[in-house]
Amino acid sequence: MKRYNFRPSFPADLRIYMLLAKDAQKACENYLAPTQQLQAGSTSAQTGGSRLIGAHMPTSGGLYRSLTLGAEIGCNVVQLFTCSPRQWNHPELKADDVQAFLHARDDTGIDFTVAHDSYLINLAAPSEEILEKSRRAFLMELKRANTLQIKWLVTHMGAHLDQGEDEALARLAQSLRQILEETDKLGYTVGIALETTAGQGTGLGWRFEQLGRILRDVGDHPRLGVCLDTCHVFVAGYDLRSRERYDASIAHFDSTVGIDKLKVLHLNDAKKGLGSRVDRHEHIGFGEIGMEPFGFIVTDPRLMHVPAIVETPDSDTMHEVNVRRLRHMSEGGGPYAEVTVSLFGHYSELSKGEPVTLKLPCCTTLKDALVELGALNDELKNIGDHCRFAVNDEFCELTAQLVDGCAVAVIPPVSGG
Amino acid sequence: MAFIIICSDVLDTRQIESSVSTHANGAVCTFVGQIRNHSRGKDVEYIEYQAHVALAEKELNRLAVEAETRWPVTVAISHRLGRVNVGEASVVVSVGSPHRSEAFAACQYCIDTLKVTVPIWKREVGPDGAIWIEGDESVRAGTD
């Protein structure tokens, strides 16, 4: 598919053709680029009823902002911190804030909300003092979440701090029993979801067996479940990168923890490799896990009811893209977008005048495609600085979304005439 | 009603002019850009033009419509692609108008705008090799 010609070879009757201005203008008006169609299709109103996919949203400006911002970027589930995750003491929720949150919930239709607890809490702490402080703080977390009618509070399983894993797991089980009992009495509805961890340092919960043991020790409880984080389990050593390995890892989870206990999914790609035990989240499809496994998860009939939440970097710009990427796959879309890139001017010599095909994660931006191009050839590394770009014969910004089959053109400064 | 032509044939200036030369027009102003035998201190044998054809059509059309909105004129623009030898025309802008001042103004506007916005590139070929021209920059081309 040559879109331009050094030595054109148009069919004779097409050699000279005329465009009547009005017709052409009308054609332009009627022309709706795939990017625009995609944006039109991603409003929250049109995602109602489909699989729960969302993101951890910021709360600056008020807790309710997590919901309104989430709705704007296509979330139908939202996770939030109900207070600063790096402080011990927090004031009680204000009635106005609770009202604003519940109103925003009704306005946006985002009924399913998840909270994440403070990073300081260690319900397995060997020090009595820290353990007590953690239990009190965790009870406050649950109180806030319950008041906000949040469904699950996600927490890490704490760390044993070199004081013995067995004892730490026993202390954690004791903490959870106590907390569940206390909050049962208060009639709380919010549940506790223990999150799989990456296995950094002395953190607990990176082996499925540890989670399974806690669930058995605490005893079956409807308000106790598990949150599976794809980045964490992958760097902890559970491979997901083929249908067989994904199925094997999920089967292992089912036999040790139980799929029925899975209440929340954190969908993050991993910057570090399998078994590295280093927790660094990456954009969906751009890390070590890659696109396909996320497709397996969001279309897995066993997990359809489990809300999926991204906690990827650059939340203000990239959450929207990652959510869209997951939703696209959950609706049966392919994991990749094959894009052809036509190079013009002296760049056209790099590809001998032929378009270059790039296989990119679906719902990728033009900016991401340029990074991939730069990786192919050093000369293409900084083309964003001085070239313009077109997608499907329309000039566009670097933020433009690329869909499968679209045609990108790299337009250096021109010299016609 | 603008006329836009992108083709690889020799440009027929008379034919292009005739498309804007109606009886209501007292003026037809035509600019012909042709290939010089030198550029940037070097001899030129011919120029090869490359275009993003679909986008170039749209841009030419856009600027022609702009001119027709600004002045009471009719615009025809044709640009040649592929190899164009010294002395041959690479671009023709022809503007018809009831009076000459608008025709001059619109013609200048069209050719000036074309040179900075329309996705067409030239590769100048001479005895010293080939050079791509990109805006104010020139880039040495590989051999073909």
Side-chain angles (χ1 to χ4, degrees), chain A residues 357-377:
Chain A
T357 302
L358 291 179
K359 190 174 168 185
L360 302 163
C362 62
C363 311
T364 293
T365 61
L366 180 54
K367 195 176 168 191
D368 295 320
L370 296 192
V371 174
E372 298 295 309
L373 267 184
L376 290 180
N377 190 304

Side-chain angles (χ1 to χ4, degrees), chain A residues 5 46 52 88 92 115 157 184 186 189 191 193 195 205 210 232 237 239 241 245 276 285 334 348 351 360 370 378 394:
Chain A
N5 294 271
Q46 280 157 296
L52 292 178
W88 280 111
E92 296 261 338
M157 284 172 51
D184 272 343
L186 295 167
T189 53
E195 182 172 354
Q210 295 170 336
H232 298 170
D239 204 353
R241 292 172 300 179
R245 283 175 277 180
S276 62
S348 62
S351 63
L360 302 163
L370 296 192
D378 281 351
E394 296 276 3

Side-chain angles (χ1 to χ4, degrees), chain A residues 4-8 15 17-19 21 24 344-346 348-349 388 390 393-395 409 411-417, chain B residues 2-4 7 9 48-52 54-55 57-58 79 82 90 115 117-118 120-122 132-135 141-142:
Chain A
Y4 54 91
N5 294 271
F6 252 19
R7 297 168 190 82
R15 284 198 157 197
Y17 49 99
M18 293 192 169
L19 272 179
F344 290 92
H346 79 283
S348 62
E349 292 185 354
R388 288 183 294 166
D393 304 337
E394 296 276 3
F395 283 113
I411 315 280
V414 301
S415 58
Chain B
F3 297 87
I4 305 301
C7 68
D9 280 349
E48 278 185 329
Y49 283 91
Q50 180 197 58
H52 183 312
L55 205 48
E57 268 171 9
K58 269 189 203 166
H79 203 294
S90 55
K115 279 176 167 285
T117 68
V118 179
I120 298 177
W121 296 267
K122 60 178 89 164
W132 282 98
I133 309 297
E134 290 172 13

Side-chain angles (χ1 to χ4, degrees), chain B residues 99-119:
Chain B
H99 303 286
R100 68 184 182 284
S101 63
E102 292 90 345
F104 276 121
C107 187
Q108 171 136 32
Y109 170 80
C110 287
I111 185 64
D112 288 351
T113 310
L114 179 153
K115 279 176 167 285
V116 291
T117 68
V118 179

